[in-house]
Amino acid sequence: MKKYIYIVAVLITFNIAKAQEIRYVNADNGLFLRDNPSQDSKRIDKLAYGTTLEITERTNLKLDVKDNNNIVSGEWVKVTYKDDIYNNRSGYVFNGFLTDNKIEKRFSVGFDDFTLEFENLNAEIIGDEQISTHSDNTVDAILEIGETLEGKTIRVRHHSKYKSIKVFQRHENSISIQAEGPHCDLIEWKHFYSAWTPLKSTKKTGIFETITYSNKAQNKFINVDISEFKNAVKEHCGDVWYNLIKDEKKINKGASTIGISKIYFKVIFTTMYDEKIEKTIAFNVPMGC
């Protein structure tokens, strides 16, 4: 009986250890998932930076990969992961670009000439990403509730040679009517728009730091007629919200508050032929949260 219990204990320990072999993709440009452990095999998918994987099999097939001027050594491993379409998928990857340190995924927008990446940012593109990034000059996205764009690192990964990359940022302020919990945002009415501010680049090419806004910047607004403002609240929000501000003498007092409703990033990419390519991503910022 004691031997039986010992064997069961060993099996339980083995299963727990196996289930904990989680790794994260640490390749800046993504990592190919293949149907067989070979560089010549079919590519199933390209795994984004930070993707969570579980190693299910080690092949002991060694491989050395040249990464810029460095040689990265590792082996082929079989992995499984979850995606939004197929749920559980599996295949083989080179483990030289995996890490056991958890990595926050980057939010990225891929245009034809460059990809814009935001580190540690939870956001989602509105609409069809393929259509908007290839056809439109402006891509709309929305931040998750509680997320911020302040103090973020932006990387511009160029797909071809270039002369210069410049990134600019500006914000849009709107009015919100606050109650105990719910709120009504006048995002279809008037706004304050800041000037475009060039972002500072770090020592590394193509890396920029976002702006941190002061309370003064977040509370700026244009001059509005108070009667026009009250009529707008009644039209867009209804009588319940109108009653909260009907006696106010100016905006940003009492139930009405001003806050950032959108943050824009504009990239001006100059090619080797002096062609200027301008793309903008506009983040909708949830107000009153």
Side-chain angles (χ1 to χ4, degrees):
M1 178 62 72
K2 290 182 179 179
K3 184 181 290 185
Y4 173 75
I5 293 173
Y6 173 76
I7 292 172
V8 171
V10 170
L11 289 174
I12 291 173
T13 303
F14 174 78
N15 286 333
I16 291 173
K18 182 179 179 182
Q20 291 178 336
E21 196 164 11
I22 302 298
R23 297 292 184 270
Y24 305 91
V25 175
N26 195 28
D28 281 337
N29 295 320
L31 185 64
F32 287 119
L33 180 77
R34 299 181 182 272
D35 63 352
N36 284 295
S38 167
Q39 288 181 296
D40 298 327
S41 63
K42 181 181 177 181
R43 297 172 180 176
I44 300 174
D45 199 358
K46 190 174 186 180
L47 306 176
Y49 176 88
T51 300
T52 303
L53 307 172
E54 180 183 356
I55 295 178
T56 59
E57 178 187 324
R58 293 186 176 275
T59 67
N60 291 321
L61 296 172
K62 306 298 182 182
L63 180 67
D64 292 330
V65 173
K66 189 173 182 179
D67 182 30
N68 293 323
N69 294 322
N70 300 317
I71 299 297
V72 180
S73 299
E75 66 174 285
W76 290 99
V77 293
K78 190 172 185 179
V79 299
T80 62
Y81 75 103
K82 292 183 178 180
D83 68 7
D84 296 331
I85 301 175
Y86 299 100
N87 198 12
N88 288 322
R89 301 192 76 179
S90 63
Y92 294 88
V93 298
F94 170 62
N95 73 349
F97 294 110
L98 301 183
T99 177
D100 55 1
N101 296 320
K102 187 173 182 180
I103 297 175
E104 294 293 336
K105 274 192 173 183
R106 295 169 178 165
F107 174 77
S108 64
V109 184
F111 297 103
D112 290 338
D113 298 278
F114 57 85
T115 295
L116 198 61
E117 294 181 345
F118 294 79
E119 286 197 349
N120 301 333
L121 182 68
N122 292 312
E124 183 178 345
I125 292 178
I126 299 173
D128 191 317
E129 180 177 356
Q130 294 297 320
I131 294 175
S132 57
T133 55
H134 292 293
S135 303
D136 302 334
N137 289 327
T138 300
V139 173
D140 289 305
I142 185 167
L143 294 181
E144 289 191 7
I145 293 176
E147 185 59 274
T148 179
L149 277 160
E150 296 184 332
K152 299 294 184 182
T153 297
I154 300 177
R155 281 181 168 83
V156 182
R157 300 192 181 279
H158 54 94
H159 306 159
S160 58
K161 292 183 179 180
Y162 66 94
K163 282 191 174 180
S164 68
I165 299 175
K166 295 180 181 179
V167 181
F168 299 83
Q169 179 176 342
R170 76 168 180 173
H171 70 282
E172 167 191 297
N173 289 349
S174 300
I175 302 176
S176 179
I177 314 303
Q178 306 286 329
E180 293 298 327
H183 53 92
C184 180
D185 307 324
L186 293 179
I187 55 176
E188 301 297 333
W189 195 52
K190 296 183 178 182
H191 311 283
F192 164 81
Y193 294 96
S194 70
W196 285 105
T197 301
L199 296 188
K200 294 181 179 179
S201 178
T202 65
K203 293 180 180 180
K204 293 183 178 180
T205 304
I207 300 180
F208 302 84
E209 301 296 332
T210 64
I211 294 172
T212 297
Y213 291 111
S214 65
N215 288 332
K216 183 179 179 180
Q218 296 181 48
N219 283 281
K220 281 188 176 181
F221 210 73
I222 60 175
N223 291 324
V224 296
D225 180 84
I226 193 67
S227 297
E228 185 182 358
F229 160 66
K230 291 177 181 180
N231 289 334
V233 173
K234 193 168 188 177
E235 177 184 351
H236 294 280
C237 301
D239 290 335
V240 173
W241 302 97
Y242 169 77
N243 290 331
L244 292 175
I245 53 89
K246 65 180 181 179
D247 297 323
E248 291 187 6
K249 303 300 181 183
K250 58 175 65 176
I251 61 173
N252 210 25
K253 297 289 184 180
S256 66
T257 62
I258 297 170
I260 294 176
S261 54
K262 274 190 178 182
I263 297 178
Y264 301 81
F265 294 92
K266 177 170 64 178
V267 180
I268 299 179
F269 183 91
T270 304
T271 69
M272 298 299 292
Y273 304 98
D274 290 323
E275 177 189 5
K276 291 188 181 296
I277 298 168
E278 184 176 312
K279 296 290 184 178
T280 302
I281 178 167
F283 289 94
N284 292 267
V285 180
M287 299 182 68
C289 299

